[in-house]
Amino acid sequence: MSQVMVDVHGVHKSFGPLEVLRGVDLKVRTGEVTVILGPSGSGKSTLLRTINHLEKVDRGWIGVDGELIGYRRSGGKLYELKEKDVLAQRTRIGFVFQNFHLFPHLTVLDNLVEAPVSALRRPRKEAEAAARLLLARVGLADKAGAYPRQLSGGQQQRVAIARALAVEPKVLLFDEPTSALDPELVGEVLDVIKDLARTGTTMIVVTHEIGFAREVADTVVFMDGGVVVEQGPPAAVLDAPRQERTRAFLSKVL
Ligand code: ADP
Ligand code: MG
């Protein structure tokens, strides 16, 4: 069995009186695709945000590639990492947002080159060459000089995926990557994610695209009320769910 890349262990997170994550456990193995399904408000985005420490957990811990996120252990004690060390961890965890979040004032190429040069200290020439290969991979080799506003939503999201890949992330997190797109543009973005799955990129994808989950996921996770209600291979969770809450959700979205 392959190694565990992402290990979420007993994670709790509250916002004021609202407990949004109530003891989440999740293991994602290297090279596997995990799709997270669940109703709005169930804590999916918050969970993704804890994995790259955009949200600090109240209880539990998260490991990525054997490193504790946000902390280091020394002499049996836990110490919070300094901001620059958190940023270094975050750089190697790719995040693709619903609304693309490209830098509007930078060209497509410069969007891809920014993090490798400024955070990873790669030589600019090298970063540009790598960026051009990534643009070709998402079918946008001819858009290197364009600005985000000149692109369709589907093209912008493909740039965002290429940008996330530019730092050679250990894991890619997607938060509803196709929810903001016109229906006719969803397919081109899912095709890029499918291609990454085939080449063994470790990914966690929050989505409502059940067909995509069935086709691409190694594991489907159903979340509700801040906990993982059920998880397993797509055929088990989607076609023979064991929990009533999973059945109720699927009957609404299928
Ligand atoms: P999902 O992505 O599954 O729709 P979220 O993780 O975005 O769920 O949100 C779960 C709950 O936490 C929601 O009730 C949301 O309003 C609340 N929440 C999320 N982020 C914050 C925040 N920064 N402050 C207060 N409440 C928040
Ligand atoms: Mg969300």
Side-chain angles (χ1 to χ4, degrees):
M1 257 208 172
S2 54
Q3 270 183 305
V4 174
M5 177 59 85
V6 179
D7 196 357
V8 176
H9 189 92
V11 162
H12 289 252
K13 174 71 187 177
S14 296
F15 295 108
L18 181 66
E19 194 176 23
V20 172
L21 300 179
R22 308 200 292 168
V24 174
D25 292 295
L26 182 67
K27 285 187 199 308
V28 175
R29 293 182 183 282
T30 303
E32 293 200 341
V33 180
T34 297
V35 168
I36 302 182
L37 306 174
S40 178
S42 56
K44 305 179 302 294
S45 295
T46 303
L47 175 63
L48 287 190
R49 290 166 59 80
T50 61
I51 294 172
N52 72 349
H53 213 59
L54 286 170
E55 301 289 355
K56 209 164 129 175
V57 309
D58 298 330
R59 201 139 52 91
W61 52 265
I62 295 171
V64 174
D65 200 20
E67 265 185 48
L68 211 47
I69 293 300
Y71 298 88
R72 73 187 160 81
R73 219 184 291 274
S74 177
K77 282 194 183 155
L78 280 188
Y79 297 91
E80 265 188 71
L81 290 181
K82 295 197 180 74
E83 188 59 24
K84 82 166 175 32
D85 296 321
V86 171
L87 288 176
Q89 285 184 331
R90 195 174 286 152
T91 301
R92 303 303 304 279
I93 298 171
F95 209 118
V96 176
F97 300 88
Q98 187 174 336
N99 292 307
F100 330 132
H101 285 214
L102 295 173
F103 305 119
H105 58 292
L106 296 182
T107 64
V108 164
L109 189 73
D110 285 341
N111 263 277
L112 268 66
V113 162
E114 213 282 325
V117 169
S118 66
L120 301 180
R121 305 271 162 227
R122 299 266 160 80
R124 187 171 175 95
K125 272 232 154 79
E126 198 182 299
E128 280 188 8
R132 287 183 192 280
L133 288 178
L134 285 171
L135 287 176
R137 182 157 180 200
V138 300
L140 294 171
D142 57 334
K143 298 294 185 190
Y147 285 87
R149 65 174 179 279
Q150 299 171 312
L151 305 179
S152 72
Q155 289 171 331
Q156 288 188 56
Q157 193 61 302
R158 286 188 280 150
V159 172
I161 294 170
R163 181 180 63 175
L165 288 168
V167 292
E168 296 168 15
K170 296 170 175 178
V171 56
L172 265 185
L173 312 177
F174 293 84
D175 195 358
E176 299 198 28
T178 61
S179 294
L181 299 175
D182 292 333
E184 74 273 21
L185 303 177
V186 168
E188 67 188 62
V189 171
L190 294 182
D191 283 345
V192 166
I193 304 175
K194 283 180 205 170
D195 172 62
L196 295 176
R198 271 192 291 274
T199 54
T201 310
T202 310
M203 296 188 273
I204 303 177
V205 187
V206 172
T207 184
H208 298 296
E209 299 285 339
I210 303 292
F212 170 84
R214 196 186 296 284
E215 190 183 343
V216 180
D218 294 291
T219 301
V220 173
V221 172
F222 175 67
M223 277 183 77
D224 194 13
V227 295
V228 172
V229 171
E230 182 159 5
Q231 62 177 305
V237 175
L238 300 175
D239 300 328
R242 283 186 284 171
Q243 302 296 328
E244 181 50 40
R245 279 195 281 177
T246 317
R247 281 198 284 271
F249 174 78
L250 290 172
S251 73
K252 279 183 225 150
V253 297
L254 281 176

